[in-house]
Amino acid sequence: MSVRHSLLVLLDAGPMHGYGLKTEFEAATGDVWPLNVGQVYTTLARLERDGLVSTETDADGQKIYAITDAGRGEVRRWFETPVAREVVPRQELAIKLVFAMRSAATDVADVLQRQRVATMRSLQEVTRLKADAEADGDLAWLLMLDALVFQAEAEARWLDLCEARLARKSGERQDRGTPLPRGGAAAPPLPITRRSS
Amino acid sequence: MTILEIDRAGRVFGSGEARVVALDDVSLCVERGEFVAIMGPSGSGKSTLLHLAGGLDRPTSGRVLLNGRDLAGMSAADLSLALRREIGFVFQGLNLLPTLSAAENVALPLELDGARPRAAMSAARSLLDSVGLGAVADRFPSRLSGGEQQRVAIARAVTGGRTLLLADEPTGALDTVSGEAVMGLLRRQCAAGCAVVLITHDMRHAAWADRVVFLRDGRVTGEAAPPAGPEFLLRPA
């Protein structure tokens, strides 16, 4: 996420002081993203260096910042460019599940279920915060919470899939050593027992 | 006050080779004003549990108590009266009669229970008003969105002061925003004193409940209640 682009968007509406930019930024992001004033001034100095903003000094001797044409171009580029996904290929949970399958110290189903309960509890917590945010009309915070809800849901669905895969895998292990059916083809993995309800 | 008590209930279908244990020693208490969600994969026993809770099926072992009375001990006439007056159902679809307007659908259970048509319609309208559907009270179900239909179905399920609302995947066919509106309405029914049991495979919706019970292979494998205070996420100050 780009503080510099956010500041440019704010300046696109009209020239502002550094401190005003800080408060506007925090109000717009629902205080989810606190900025220290030093960070604002360093960012503004870089924007000025890159020709994206220009400065004037007002009657009180305070610097006032204005966006330049190059700055407007930069805003346009920012909005036109999709944000790259942050990908972390090493998932501690995936590693834990693989090792839980090998380990005699635990049952992988228990590890999965504990994780599921933990994911559910965090989801319950975020859902309650969401109800408050909706009542307060706090849009930036609400969007942030929505994102957390879908992330938790993705983890939960992934856990369900892990469970199904692991059940199938342990089924295959039990099948090893049994004679192949006639025709020589390996028997398909046993489906997980389904109970009618 | 306990509205629903399922006490060590089991449900076995078939016998011998074909014997299937759909529920095995499951206990569940739901209090007045409480919202409980049941989650589990297909075939975990969720629907069987809901059928037992709603008196649509009987356990092969254990008991089901509704407002303190054992359903198994009731005469057929008492049971059907208790189910009609105390329990409301909402399913995934086909909840409303297509030839009746939204208000007429909501009024129907009251009329079946002996209310005069005019009184039933006026109660139905004020109920629909209270759930934000007053403007569509005279529309037929085909003219309502999926989310509106489910909210009308929930209103109908709680008419006449019924105390237990049983919902089986009521958001199954809805988009995210409509699904949330349905969950919000279920929560409000709890706040108004109903007990709600929701079956869902959608974690986002289950998270609206006070308690989530996980079922697998007919057994309870875990339960999740929200933390009392912030635990997972602290809002930056």
Side-chain angles (χ1 to χ4, degrees), chain A residues 81-100:
Chain A
T81 314
V83 175
R85 282 185 54 77
E86 292 171 31
V87 177
V88 182
R90 281 174 301 213
Q91 270 276 356
E92 179 181 348
L93 190 51
I95 305 291
K96 190 186 265 190
L97 293 178
V98 168
F99 279 92

Side-chain angles (χ1 to χ4, degrees), chain B residues 67-91:
Chain B
N67 291 311
R69 288 173 305 154
D70 189 341
L71 294 184
M74 289 186 191
S75 69
D78 283 350
L79 181 64
S80 90
L81 191 67
L83 300 190
R84 200 169 71 226
R85 293 214 171 136
E86 293 170 44
I87 304 182
F89 284 93
V90 181
F91 299 102

Side-chain angles (χ1 to χ4, degrees), chain A residues 3 6 17 28 30-31 52 55 58 74 80 108 118 126 155 162 167 184:
Chain A
V3 173
S6 307
H17 291 111
D31 301 323
L52 303 176
T55 59
D58 70 6
E74 185 63 25
E80 283 166 4
V108 66
V126 176
E155 180 176 296
C162 288

Side-chain angles (χ1 to χ4, degrees), chain B residues 135-150:
Chain B
V136 300
D138 293 316
R139 289 202 196 155
F140 287 94
S142 58
R143 298 279 321 280
L144 299 173
S145 73
E148 287 167 342
Q149 288 182 31
Q150 289 304 64

Side-chain angles (χ1 to χ4, degrees), chain A residues 55-114:
Chain A
T55 59
E56 276 177 35
T57 308
D58 70 6
D60 302 327
Q62 298 252 19
K63 258 190 182 177
I64 193 158
Y65 296 85
I67 194 166
T68 63
D69 283 344
R72 287 194 187 90
E74 185 63 25
V75 167
R76 235 186 351 265
R77 256 192 305 285
W78 186 48
F79 284 129
E80 283 166 4
T81 314
V83 175
R85 282 185 54 77
E86 292 171 31
V87 177
V88 182
R90 281 174 301 213
Q91 270 276 356
E92 179 181 348
L93 190 51
I95 305 291
K96 190 186 265 190
L97 293 178
V98 168
F99 279 92
M101 274 193 77
R102 298 172 61 128
S103 166
T106 189
D107 183 344
V108 66
D110 293 341
V111 175
L112 272 164
Q113 184 55 30
R114 272 194 291 272

